[in-house]
Amino acid sequence: MAFFSHPTALGCIYQAQFTPFPQKTVALVLTSIEHGIEQYTSGNFDGTMRFSKGYKDRYTAHLNALKKYEEERLWKTYWKKLLRDGLVHAGAQVEKPRAESATEVEATQAEIDADMARLAEEELDGFVDSSDIEFEPTAEEE
């Protein structure tokens, strides 16, 4: 599968988005497999059959079938196994869950402005720029 074809494939780089493995992705894969099989129904490949809007109902049917099992314990274990198997296939490392980084936290402009005002009052009182900082000479400079 393209999401895990090599260590820098999307599924490997964005592991957090694939944990648990998205049902929408599985539904898309199932629909793609169905389309591929249909291209050979005559016994020969028919490249004129396009993956078009006509497959939307099939995709939806696959997705609805998958959603019926989303709360099953065994099924949740299987979703995790799908991710691990994909990473092993790609030769990628499993990322350990990490704390939210500052770049992933969303803040409104009002919250940013309030924080900047608080910093200016409490921590940067009287600070204009780095040119007003006086450094003490080191032993080598004396």
Side-chain angles (χ1 to χ4, degrees):
M1 186 168 26
F3 296 110
F4 297 97
S5 57
H6 51 84
T8 57
L10 293 175
C12 301
I13 294 173
Y14 299 105
Q15 289 180 33
Q17 285 73 25
F18 283 85
T19 305
F21 205 88
Q23 291 178 344
K24 290 179 179 180
T25 304
V26 175
L28 180 61
V29 169
L30 293 172
T31 308
S32 299
I33 291 169
E34 191 173 2
H35 173 255
I37 291 169
E38 289 177 356
Q39 288 181 307
Y40 286 93
T41 55
S42 68
N44 296 312
F45 176 71
D46 181 359
T48 62
M49 294 180 70
R50 299 286 177 225
F51 194 86
S52 62
K53 290 181 181 179
Y55 284 92
K56 182 178 181 185
D57 291 339
R58 295 177 189 189
Y59 166 81
T60 303
H62 289 303
L63 186 58
N64 289 336
L66 291 167
K67 285 183 177 183
K68 287 180 184 178
Y69 298 100
E70 67 186 337
E71 294 304 317
E72 297 289 330
R73 194 175 124 261
L74 186 59
W75 196 244
K76 288 180 180 181
T77 302
Y78 181 70
W79 288 122
K80 291 176 186 175
K81 182 181 180 326
L82 276 177
L83 175 65
R84 277 193 317 272
D85 289 353
L87 294 170
V88 168
H89 171 75
Q93 300 263 335
V94 177
E95 288 180 355
K96 291 188 167 88
R98 57 185 172 82
E100 204 172 35
S101 72
T103 59
E104 294 170 336
V105 176
E106 293 184 25
T108 64
Q109 189 60 47
E111 290 172 322
I112 294 170
D113 293 342
D115 280 348
M116 293 303 290
R118 183 187 55 77
L119 280 172
E121 287 178 22
E122 297 172 8
E123 298 180 29
L124 302 175
D125 188 32
F127 180 79
V128 178
D129 61 35
S130 61
S131 63
D132 67 350
I133 297 175
E134 294 182 24
F135 293 97
E136 294 182 17
T138 62
E140 296 172 353
E141 294 174 333
E142 290 181 356

